[in-house]
Amino acid sequence: MYQLIVFLPLIGFLIAGLFGRVIGAKASEYVTSGLLIVAAILSWIGFFSIGYGETAVVKEPVMRWITSGTFDVEWTIRVDTLTAVMLVVVNSVSALVHVYSIGYMHHDPHRPRFFAYLSLFTFAMLTLVTSDNLLQMFFGWEGVGLASYLLIGFWYQKPSANAAAMKAFVVNRVGDFGFILGIFGVFVLFGSADYDAIFANAQGFAEGEPKVVLDFLGYQLTQDAALTVTCLLLFMGAMGKSAQFLLHTWLPDAMEGPTPVSALIHAATMVTAGVFMVARLSPVFELSHTALTVVTFFGATTAFFAATVGLVQNDIKRVIAYSTCSQLGYMFVALGVGGYSIAIFHLFTHAFFKALLFLGAGSVIHAVSNEQDMRKMGGLAKHIPLTYWMMVIGTLALTGFPLTAGFFSKDGVIEAAYVGHNAFAMYGFWLTVAAAGLTSFYSWRLAFMTFHGKPRASVDVMKHVHESPLVMTVPLMILAVGALFAGLVFAGVFMGEGYEGFWKGALFTSEENHILHDIHEVPLWVKASPFVMMVLGFAFAWLFYIRSPEIPRRLAERHDGLYRFLLNKWYFDELYDAIFVRPAMWLGRQLWKKGDGATIDRLGPDGIAARVQDVSSWAVRLQTGYLYHYAFAMLIGVAALITWSMFSVGGAH
């Protein structure tokens, strides 16, 4: 069954990719979407049989992959509760995105290619989450990177789409360089890339007699330091893939792809890979207190940073993109304080409400003739009521309204940060609380600017505003069910009483880690703080965009520097341009113009060729082909010979 789940999307990719032109766009859509729906149904069956059954781990060998000396890697599909959760998330959202895309991409002439890329993306993510060793994970890791490049740059005729695809690819290469070094580090420390071997030896390795086990950048590292360095390198990979602070710049630009791509990248696949990887390697990360502290710091900083930038963005998809960035920060805060299941629970609930928001935004864009600027919307609620209510449900879940999916998981993260024991746990708590208020503000700002107030679109656009077809709205309604009830139904098994029976050791928590117990004993004000911040965010958004719409403009004019700072995303793009891009371009230009052109070419191949040309041009001038020229040359030769003879004979006498 699990091999079917993994390989059905690959079959869809091959059919649509190889035979799309032959079978046509409609057949490509139905084949890829049908296979994904089957995979999603099987994933739910697997989720309940693993999570709620007796079996802890199922392994299905696929093939022998790499054999080199004692190094032996098999391609094996590993399914435990963590994988089962990810299979449900990836395949459910991907199936709904496939179906939704049938309506959204209706007019695009390259639909077979688009659906092939979507299925390839899904297959790559499935290979990542079902991996049984780090090399298999790395295959899927690079696969989602490739597929994201293809999908973000799908409309390759647009220069901005090409630039965004390149940016995503290059920024991820930075993180992936750290990730593969981390994999090498794990192999050096444990002698294997296989999860079971690593996890079995991790505790004993850390508790062994201190000795030098790793040379890194000229430093001799003992077990503690080596584990910390390895975990930080692995986390560097997670930072790139999950768009954490400093390596986040690619994520908002990924909006250049079609909207269903944004939903797939941001809700279910690529960005959750980093969270999954840290959770999967929890037996290793749990041994490095320093690494977990760093994870907490970056998670909290990302949650706050992205939320501040989301306050002032005007592109509807970009606001939701920064929201994704911020929510990923929440997940890493939970991971950093040791609440691995809480992080995965937030990943699980987030997939539903974030996919709902992105696809809802796509429905809005579809309705207003592909306009994405919220300043040119307004008053749409009565024209597209179904989309409006779906977006409201997504917003309630994102902001943590009581009993929605986000309420359980987001509050769990904030409470875990409060009871966490590392140096940045309280930093994480306060920044996630602040981010909760900012999230509520920008989420309701989006809803009010888009659906309420007077229409700001042209009369011609408003005349054509219409509700999306059923093929687009049914996926919204299914996601809305998840956004409303996923927290209520699954909170107990993810982080409550049913934890042990559900996870069955898929996530590791050390004996000193009492996070899941302690979150139930936090003070009342801690439990209430996310709700208070949510209400404050809503109140300010209502005041600014419904009651007194002139306030935001006045505030922006009065605090112009701060407004531009946030609008320009803390100037990270400009900073990286000045530090990395321009010096690299200058160096490249110097090596090209002066090194390659002026030195190597001028003195080497070009110089030699030029001299040969000079010599041959003189030789050509001698060989004219006229008889009298040759006779004249012979005459001069004879005269020269006679003259030389006369003088040499005279000299002899």
Side-chain angles (χ1 to χ4, degrees):
M1 179 174 83
Y2 297 109
Q3 291 191 29
L4 268 180
I5 292 172
V6 173
F7 290 110
L8 283 175
L10 178 63
I11 294 166
F13 159 67
L14 292 172
I15 292 171
L18 295 176
F19 307 111
R21 287 188 176 182
V22 179
I23 63 177
K26 277 270 177 256
S28 298
E29 293 170 348
Y30 294 151
V31 167
T32 52
S33 303
L35 291 172
L36 250 299
I37 290 168
V38 173
I41 292 167
L42 292 175
S43 297
W44 278 101
I45 294 169
F47 172 75
F48 285 109
S49 65
I50 294 283
Y52 292 87
E54 299 300 316
T55 311
V57 184
V58 173
K59 288 190 179 187
E60 293 187 0
V62 176
M63 64 177 179
R64 197 150 188 196
W65 190 23
I66 300 171
T67 305
S68 176
T70 56
F71 184 61
D72 190 18
V73 178
E74 281 198 356
W75 190 293
T76 303
I77 292 173
R78 174 197 183 97
V79 184
D80 55 10
T81 306
L82 177 59
T83 302
V85 169
M86 294 302 294
L87 289 177
V88 160
V89 168
V90 173
N91 281 326
S92 300
V93 173
S94 186
L96 293 171
V97 166
H98 273 73
V99 173
Y100 177 93
S101 299
I102 294 173
Y104 191 85
M105 301 296 287
H106 179 64
H107 298 297
D108 197 285
H110 305 293
R111 297 199 297 285
R113 179 164 59 89
F114 180 76
F115 279 84
Y117 288 170
L118 281 185
S119 290
L120 174 65
F121 202 165
T122 309
F123 167 70
M125 190 65 188
L126 293 174
T127 60
L128 192 157
V129 300
T130 57
S131 60
D132 190 42
N133 57 73
L134 286 168
L135 286 183
Q136 202 177 324
M137 180 189 274
F138 191 71
F139 176 87
W141 192 271
E142 293 304 305
V144 291
L146 166 67
S148 70
Y149 170 78
L150 295 172
L151 282 167
I152 294 166
F154 176 74
W155 288 319
Y156 56 84
Q157 300 91 341
K158 283 170 63 181
S160 57
N162 273 327
M166 288 289 286
K167 187 175 182 180
F169 201 72
V170 170
V171 173
N172 271 280
R173 295 292 68 70
V174 176
D176 292 356
F177 179 67
F179 184 46
I180 200 163
L181 286 180
I183 292 173
F184 294 157
V186 169
F187 182 72
V188 169
L189 299 184
F190 300 106
S192 177
D194 189 72
Y195 294 151
D196 288 338
I198 295 165
F199 300 161
N201 297 324
Q203 195 75 37
F205 175 84
E207 293 169 354
E209 193 69 31
K211 60 181 179 181
V212 174
V213 290
L214 185 67
D215 284 342
F216 184 72
L217 299 179
Y219 292 94
Q220 309 279 303
L221 304 180
T222 56
Q223 286 96 322
D224 274 359
L227 277 170
T228 296
V229 165
T230 303
C231 288
L232 289 176
L233 287 168
L234 292 167
F235 177 60
M236 187 173 163
M239 284 175 68
K241 203 62 79 187
S242 295
Q244 291 303 283
F245 187 68
L246 300 182
L247 292 180
H248 65 276
T249 52
W250 68 270
L251 191 67
D253 289 6
M255 297 301 96
E256 288 293 339
T259 302
V261 173
S262 307
L264 200 53
I265 290 177
H266 289 240
T269 53
M270 188 161 162
V271 296
T272 58
V275 180
F276 168 80
M277 183 264 285
V278 175
R280 169 59 80 210
L281 296 175
S282 54
V284 180
F285 274 86
E286 193 79 339
L287 299 172
S288 175
H289 187 75
T290 307
L292 288 178
T293 305
V294 172
V295 172
T296 309
F297 169 78
F298 275 99
T301 306
T302 306
F304 179 75
F305 152 75
T308 62
V309 177
L311 297 175
V312 297
Q313 299 302 308
N314 297 309
D315 184 311
I316 187 169
K317 283 167 69 178
R318 211 165 269 254
V319 174
I320 305 171
Y322 276 107
S323 166
T324 297
C325 205
S326 182
Q327 297 307 308
L328 287 163
Y330 274 86
M331 296 174 209
F332 279 105
V333 168
L335 291 169
V337 296
Y340 303 105
S341 64
I342 300 170
I344 297 299
F345 187 39
H346 194 48
L347 184 158
F348 179 76
T349 59
H350 174 261
F352 293 107
F353 60 73
K354 190 52 59 71
L356 175 59
L357 285 170
F358 263 117
L359 297 184
S363 185
V364 171
I365 294 164
H366 180 79
V368 293
S369 311
N370 295 321
E371 180 58 66
Q372 292 182 205
D373 192 332
M374 296 187 298
R375 293 169 297 186
K376 296 177 183 174
M377 296 180 189
L380 295 177
K382 59 179 179 288
H383 297 282
I384 45 173
L386 182 59
T387 298
Y388 169 64
W389 284 109
M390 294 302 102
M391 289 285 278
V392 167
I393 289 171
T395 302
L396 288 170
L398 171 61
T399 57
F401 189 81
L403 302 184
T404 60
F407 168 75
F408 293 95
S409 57
K410 183 186 276 191
D411 285 23
V413 173
I414 290 171
E415 289 161 17
Y418 180 78
V419 298
H421 298 300
N422 72 45
F424 279 105
M426 285 312 290
Y427 173 82
F429 169 72
W430 288 112
L431 258 62
T432 49
V433 168
L438 300 176
T439 301
S440 180
F441 177 84
Y442 68 63
S443 300
W444 288 110
R445 171 181 178 261
L446 182 150
F448 294 149
M449 283 182 77
T450 305
F451 295 105
H452 292 270
K454 292 178 182 175
R456 294 180 295 279
S458 66
V459 176
D460 189 49
V461 168
M462 291 306 295
K463 222 185 287 179
H464 293 95
V465 170
H466 60 285
E467 188 61 88
S468 298
L470 278 175
V471 74
M472 290 170 67
T473 52
V474 169
L476 293 182
M477 290 186 267
I478 295 170
L479 287 167
V481 172
L484 285 172
F485 302 114
L488 204 60
V489 173
F490 296 110
V493 292
F494 270 89
M495 55 182 200
E497 295 299 319
Y499 175 87
E500 291 293 342
F502 179 72
W503 287 104
K504 303 182 190 70
L507 298 173
F508 177 76
T509 46
S510 63
E511 291 176 9
E512 299 84 45
N513 187 338
H514 304 295
I515 290 287
L516 291 171
H517 175 264
D518 294 346
I519 59 171
H520 299 293
E521 297 176 359
V522 296
L524 185 61
W525 70 269
V526 173
K527 283 186 176 294
S529 58
F531 179 76
V532 171
M533 296 305 283
M534 180 201 74
V535 172
L536 285 173
F538 172 82
F540 275 105
W542 179 82
L543 175 66
F544 280 27
Y545 295 97
I546 299 292
R547 179 74 187 275
S548 307
E550 73 282 352
I551 292 178
R553 191 181 66 254
R554 288 209 309 265
L555 270 176
E557 288 169 357
R558 194 178 307 158
H559 303 286
D560 185 58
L562 178 61
Y563 175 71
R564 288 186 178 282
F565 180 69
L566 297 179
L567 191 65
N568 288 294
K569 306 157 292 206
W570 290 27
Y571 291 106
F572 267 103
D573 283 323
E574 290 78 1
L575 184 67
Y576 287 170
D577 191 52
I579 295 173
F580 301 115
V581 180
R582 285 186 201 166
M585 294 283 280
W586 177 86
L587 180 61
R589 205 169 284 114
Q590 295 302 310
L591 291 172
W592 166 40
K593 293 279 191 187
K594 294 189 177 166
D596 195 28
T599 308
I600 297 171
D601 282 352
R602 189 167 66 84
L603 300 178
D606 286 357
I608 293 167
R611 298 297 74 77
V612 170
Q613 253 186 332
D614 291 345
V615 172
S616 61
S617 67
W618 282 104
V620 164
R621 286 181 189 178
L622 290 173
Q623 299 292 338
T624 63
Y626 291 110
L627 188 61
Y628 61 86
H629 282 176
Y630 296 126
F632 180 64
M634 288 167 67
L635 190 61
I636 290 172
V638 169
L641 187 61
I642 291 169
T643 306
W644 176 75
S645 300
M646 284 169 60
F647 279 106
S648 60
V649 171
H653 284 294

